[in-house]
Amino acid sequence: MKSSNDIIKVRRGCKDVWNAFMVRGASFSTNDIPYCPTTAYSLPVSLVSFEEAKTIHKNAMHNGHTDYCVKAFIHFWIDDQKFDGNRKGIWATPQEALEIIQHFSGIVTPDFSTNIDFPEPIKIYNTYRMRAFGFWIASQGIPVINNVRWGSEETWRYCWDGLPHNSILAIGTVASGLRQLENRPVFEAGIREMVKQLHPHTILVYGSANYPIFDELKSQDIYIKAFPSRMDTVFSGRNAHE
């Protein structure tokens, strides 16, 4: 892997509009994706979305609780505009995001979208941003678990880059369309390739893990820990009253 220590010094007065500071000291894949280590050595007790974390932080600051601590990991399995806005998103204002994150137990790295219908350069850029943001948060001493995203087979040449082997990895099944049988082959092929490439010992799932592919992974001695999404909780509540 290449190292960010090889980066050429910039001219005086230039602004870091690409957040190069995030990858200072990082190693890079041949596709220039920074390596993001797992710095969490146990699974989260619970998860809260970044949107929820912002509300918790705002209320705590309003009430003068500046040293509050929440025993939950922050996740980003929410619509991109809720954490990646042009003016107040985690990439545009990372220091403000860090002020929130440091009050929580850790993060699952951001779920910047890499949808199948996106142009390939955007999917690669968003993969880069997942790892870069995670690497920076880990460098602040905050526990980090890597979120993994993939699309159809052409994304496999870069979507595993920068991820640790024999570690905890996280995936989201929310909005994956897995309820429809026609959407499962791409997901299942991708997760099998992820296991082949990275050999995770644990997979954190946000959303339902009640699909045959997860039984297959369990048979390979991979521990699956599912956290129900807010939507899952709503549906389970409705079913309980029917």
Side-chain angles (χ1 to χ4, degrees):
M1 286 187 173
K2 296 178 286 185
S3 170
S4 62
N5 294 329
D6 298 327
I7 295 174
I8 298 173
K9 292 182 179 179
V10 297
R11 299 192 317 273
R12 181 180 299 175
C14 287
K15 294 183 178 180
D16 182 10
V17 297
W18 301 109
N19 291 349
F21 74 91
M22 287 186 178
V23 294
R24 191 171 294 121
S27 296
F28 292 80
S29 73
T30 55
N31 292 311
D32 281 333
I33 305 296
Y35 176 75
C36 178
T38 295
T39 55
Y41 297 102
S42 59
L43 286 168
V45 174
S46 61
L47 298 174
V48 297
S49 71
F50 184 69
E51 186 177 33
E52 293 168 321
K54 286 194 297 183
T55 299
I56 292 169
H57 182 74
K58 181 179 178 180
N59 291 339
M61 293 299 103
H62 178 75
N63 292 314
H65 301 151
T66 57
D67 59 348
Y68 76 96
C69 182
V70 179
K71 291 183 178 180
F73 272 52
I74 295 174
H75 76 79
F76 298 84
W77 287 297
I78 51 180
D79 291 338
D80 288 58
Q81 68 266 22
K82 294 179 179 179
F83 68 89
D84 192 29
N86 290 333
R87 293 185 178 181
K88 288 293 183 180
I90 63 172
W91 194 256
T93 58
Q95 294 295 340
E96 291 185 19
L98 179 60
E99 289 176 9
I100 297 170
I101 291 169
Q102 65 189 359
H103 291 279
F104 290 76
S105 298
I107 69 163
V108 178
T109 56
D111 192 49
F112 294 113
S113 289
T114 58
N115 296 355
I116 289 177
D117 58 347
F118 280 16
E120 202 70 6
I122 293 178
K123 290 189 280 191
I124 296 171
Y125 176 54
N126 280 347
T127 300
Y128 171 92
R129 293 201 295 161
M130 290 181 213
R131 310 290 189 269
F133 191 87
F135 176 84
W136 176 60
I137 292 297
S139 74
Q140 306 302 305
I142 296 170
V144 167
I145 295 173
N146 279 280
N147 174 49
V148 189
R149 285 196 67 132
W150 61 88
S152 46
E153 192 168 340
E154 70 272 8
T155 67
W156 295 359
R157 67 181 179 85
Y158 59 83
C159 67
W160 323 122
D161 284 15
L163 294 169
H165 290 203
N166 302 303
S167 184
I168 304 170
L169 295 176
I171 61 173
T173 59
V174 178
S176 62
L178 285 177
R179 296 178 189 273
Q180 287 74 46
L181 289 174
E182 64 269 19
N183 294 329
R184 294 186 189 179
V186 170
F187 180 87
E188 292 175 349
I191 200 167
R192 289 189 183 106
E193 185 66 19
M194 180 188 82
V195 168
K196 177 182 175 182
Q197 295 285 340
L198 303 173
H199 307 288
H201 58 70
T202 301
I203 298 176
L204 183 160
V205 179
Y206 180 70
S208 176
N210 293 323
Y211 298 100
I213 185 63
F214 293 108
D215 293 327
E216 177 183 319
L217 299 181
K218 290 175 184 176
S219 72
Q220 301 174 36
D221 293 325
I222 298 172
Y223 180 65
I224 306 297
K225 173 62 177 178
F227 289 85
S229 68
R230 176 174 289 185
M231 185 178 296
D232 291 330
T233 303
V234 169
F235 277 121
S236 64
R238 286 178 181 174
N239 292 337
H241 290 88
E242 288 178 354

